[in-house]
Amino acid sequence: MLLSVKNLTVKYGKAEALRSVSLVLNEGDIIAVVGSNGAGKSTLLRSISGLKQPASGEVWFDNRLISRASPSLIVKLGICHIPQGRRLFPYMTVEENLLMGAYLRRDREGIRSDLAEVYGHFPILQTHKNRRAETFSGGEQQMLAIGRGLMSKPRVLLMDEPSHGLSPLMVGEISRVIAGINKRGISVVLVEQNITTAFNLATMGYVLSTGQVVLEGKPDELLNHDEVRKAYLGT
Amino acid sequence: MSSEQLAQTLANGLMMAMLYMLVAAGLALIFSIMHIVNFAHGELYMLGAFVVYYFFGQWGINYFLALLASMLLIGLLGAVLERFLFYRLQAAHLSQVILSLGLMILLQGAATVAFGADFKSVSSPFSGVWTWGGVTLAKERLLIIPISACLVALLFALIKWTRTGRAMRAVAQDPEAACLQGISPVRISALAFGIGSSLAAAAGGLVVPLFYLTPFVGGATIMKAFVVIALGGMGSVTGVVAGSLILGLVESLVTTLVGTTEATLAAFGVLVLVLLVRPKGLFGHE
């Protein structure tokens, strides 16, 4: 297994945002973490990427304990976190944003060929590579955020609600992009409120509620689960 | 006003503008990345002047080496101040403002104890004049222009085209997203503070042969830098350039035509007028 979270508890002051959460990501898989607003999904990703120190519990990546590592080291090891709301650098150009993703890399040749590859995936980014990121639509910004993430040459992508605020057409497009990234060997932790989109892509699903994993299993089994149907699908 | 007088006035104005630009660019760099309004920036300018006063004026070291030493030492001081004082208060902007005011008084006091409060001066490393088409300009003043212009251009090139410069902009625009790219905001902040401080030191070192030096020269300088930044717009590089040029030239022209007191009045008058018409400054955004 590539990434594993063991009994992770995270606190903001006295409030517990996550309580003893455990999950496993195997190499080449996509796992989906779903749950309503405030369930602790973003907190989970933030503590994997080192933005938030856990109160207790462990995060292991490639047989290495990373729960006390700095965000910078975690990026270097191969985990890239694409945060909620894209969080692009608004006054930088498309190309500058992409180069920021490769900040820790020193292989000029590799950076150049990866840049060409990202442009190959998202031709619209190449067309407007000198435009400032703030001028783009939500879907284009999400593509840029994914592109910036890929520029770090990650082994694991942590994606926080990539479909948020996008049109249904764009949601489908982003799903195809995620599937394509995964085919090239990058494992994905996909956090979503949009449960059907997430479970269509994933090999394993976790349902988070008030900071705890309340259900886990194969996505199609979870989709047929009474509680899931009631809570998320309204049937 | 004769054409010689006009040329002299413009050259003087340009020289002052370049000095304001050095001080204001550093102040703006620190503000835009860390959102710290550093009132002690003028004291870093003062200390930079003292380093050159001792290295060059007292110990006879080459002027350019003294200037470089001043930039390095004060740059290091700035980085240390950021890392060990300002960074610890990063969530509390009001505390940072009070800290910088405290540092201003502390550094003035320390400089008075260490160097004395008397007026000091250094003779210029460049003597002589340039004469061109009937216009006579002192070398010591004229040389400040290309040196400052080079330093400011280097800063802009660093910010615009280098990996470190991009990291600085990234931290300024979204520190957490910068963290997620592997940038260490602690390191970048200390570096930016150091660079800003060394530019202030350069300005101090460049004027030390022209004006009297006391531990209290920082106050007037930082007021001018704030005028420049308010004129140009917070966080705008173009704004710093435009603000400095306007301030330097207006002051110089009014000094020649009317007098020194009126020049200060005119500088602040222009500021009030610009802010009335454009509250964000000439090139401000957000």
Side-chain angles (χ1 to χ4, degrees):
Chain A
M1 86 201 139
L2 187 59
L3 178 74
S4 87
V5 172
K6 289 180 184 162
N7 304 320
L8 199 69
T9 297
V10 178
K11 291 180 181 176
Y12 287 102
K14 280 191 174 150
E16 274 185 342
L18 289 181
R19 190 181 314 157
S20 199
V21 168
S22 298
L23 54 83
V24 167
L25 173 70
N26 288 313
E27 181 116 49
D29 278 4
I30 298 180
I31 64 172
V33 180
V34 301
S36 56
N37 249 336
K41 305 184 302 291
S42 292
T43 302
L44 173 67
L45 295 192
R46 293 172 64 84
S47 43
I48 296 175
S49 59
L51 287 179
K52 175 75 188 158
Q53 290 286 322
S56 64
E58 293 173 348
V59 181
W60 289 82
F61 174 66
D62 201 14
N63 297 320
R64 189 167 173 167
L65 185 65
I66 59 163
S67 27
R68 301 270 167 224
S70 69
S72 165
L73 177 65
I74 290 171
V75 175
K76 199 171 227 165
L77 290 173
I79 298 179
C80 177
H81 180 176
I82 302 175
Q84 195 172 17
R86 351 267 187 232
R87 303 288 288 272
L88 298 167
F89 302 112
Y91 310 124
M92 287 193 187
T93 65
V94 166
E95 188 145 308
E96 285 174 333
N97 266 281
L98 290 173
L99 288 175
M100 286 323 298
Y103 179 73
L104 290 178
R105 294 173 57 189
R106 292 296 196 173
D107 52 325
R108 278 164 161 269
E109 278 306 302
I111 292 173
R112 199 178 312 159
S113 70
D114 283 359
L115 194 62
E117 201 177 320
V118 168
Y119 283 149
H121 288 298
F122 308 113
I124 183 125
L125 297 183
Q126 183 160 30
T127 318
H128 301 295
K129 66 179 181 180
N130 292 320
R131 239 169 73 185
R132 284 167 18 149
E134 60 172 348
T135 63
F136 280 79
S137 73
E140 290 160 341
Q141 289 197 7
Q142 189 58 55
M143 289 177 186
L144 180 51
I146 293 173
R148 184 179 67 177
L150 291 175
M151 288 301 292
S152 71
K153 244 187 170 13
R155 293 173 67 192
V156 173
L157 265 187
L158 311 174
M159 306 181 90
D160 199 343
E161 302 211 19
S163 72
H164 185 80
L166 301 185
S167 68
L169 199 70
M170 210 62 222
V171 172
E173 180 63 33
I174 295 291
S175 293
R176 274 190 294 281
V177 168
I178 296 171
I181 289 168
N182 181 244
K183 263 206 192 83
R184 295 192 349 259
I186 298 173
S187 317
V188 179
V189 178
L190 179 61
V191 155
E192 268 293 354
Q193 278 193 65
N194 185 337
I195 182 166
T196 27
T197 310
F199 280 1
N200 277 334
L201 287 163
T203 39
M204 267 295 279
Y206 294 84
V207 180
L208 216 55
S209 175
T210 59
Q212 284 176 291
V213 175
V214 288
L215 282 170
E216 59 181 278
K218 296 264 174 249
D220 42 348
E221 288 164 19
L222 287 179
L223 281 172
N224 288 322
H225 201 284
D226 280 350
E227 272 178 62
V228 174
R229 298 179 69 97
K230 238 183 271 167
Y232 297 98
L233 302 172
T235 50
Chain B
M1 190 164 26
S2 69
S3 61
E4 287 87 0
Q5 218 178 350
L6 181 67
Q8 220 115 0
T9 305
L10 289 180
N12 248 329
L14 193 58
M15 180 199 81
M16 290 312 292
M18 294 314 295
L19 290 170
Y20 295 150
M21 210 181 285
L22 281 179
V23 178
L27 197 62
L29 177 72
I30 291 166
F31 178 80
S32 63
I33 294 179
M34 285 150 281
H35 305 285
I36 296 171
V37 180
N38 182 22
F39 285 98
H41 198 66
E43 278 50 53
L44 296 168
Y45 160 90
M46 174 269 290
L47 289 175
F50 269 107
V51 173
V52 173
Y53 170 79
Y54 281 104
F55 278 44
F56 168 69
Q58 299 295 303
W59 306 332
I61 296 168
N62 174 286
Y63 177 71
F64 291 104
L65 280 180
L67 198 60
L68 201 66
S70 170
M71 289 179 71
L72 285 175
L73 284 173
I74 304 303
L76 198 65
L77 174 67
V80 168
L81 289 177
E82 155 63 17
R83 181 68 189 84
F84 295 104
L85 292 175
F86 287 103
Y87 195 79
R88 300 192 171 198
L89 300 174
Q90 59 170 333
H93 287 305
L94 188 59
S95 307
Q96 286 180 329
V97 169
I98 293 167
L99 171 68
S100 80
L101 284 168
L103 268 177
M104 176 178 95
I105 296 165
L106 179 86
L107 292 174
Q108 283 176 4
T112 308
V113 172
F115 314 130
D118 54 317
F119 287 71
K120 294 184 167 57
S121 64
V122 171
S123 58
S124 174
F126 320 105
S127 51
V129 291
W130 264 317
T131 313
W132 186 72
V135 183
T136 308
L137 297 165
K139 275 188 187 172
E140 53 181 33
R141 290 180 168 251
L142 216 52
L143 264 172
I144 288 181
I145 298 169
I147 296 174
S148 322
C150 281
L151 287 173
V152 172
L154 273 176
L155 173 72
F156 290 168
L158 172 88
I159 292 175
K160 185 132 182 69
W161 288 304
T162 68
R163 171 176 175 271
T164 307
R166 278 196 298 271
M168 285 181 182
R169 281 184 286 149
V171 173
Q173 291 173 25
D174 190 334
E176 196 173 84
C179 236
L180 289 178
Q181 315 310 315
I183 298 166
S184 158
V186 193
R187 238 181 272 168
I188 291 294
S189 299
L191 183 67
F193 212 107
I195 291 173
S197 306
S198 76
L199 290 177
L206 283 170
V207 290
V208 85
L210 300 183
F211 303 134
Y212 283 114
L213 174 61
T214 77
F216 306 101
V217 293
T221 311
I222 193 142
M223 284 308 291
K224 297 286 169 59
F226 279 135
V227 172
V228 164
I229 291 178
L231 267 176
M234 274 288 182
S236 160
V237 169
T238 333
V240 167
V241 174
S244 314
L245 289 173
I246 293 172
L247 182 65
L249 293 173
V250 165
E251 269 188 349
S252 177
L253 280 170
V254 177
T255 302
T256 313
L257 292 172
V258 195
T260 321
T261 317
E262 288 81 355
T264 311
L265 216 62
F268 285 92
V270 169
L271 174 66
V272 171
L273 275 181
V274 167
L275 292 187
L276 275 175
V277 184
R278 281 188 65 94
K280 292 168 187 167
L282 293 172
F283 296 94
H285 56 66
E286 279 165 89

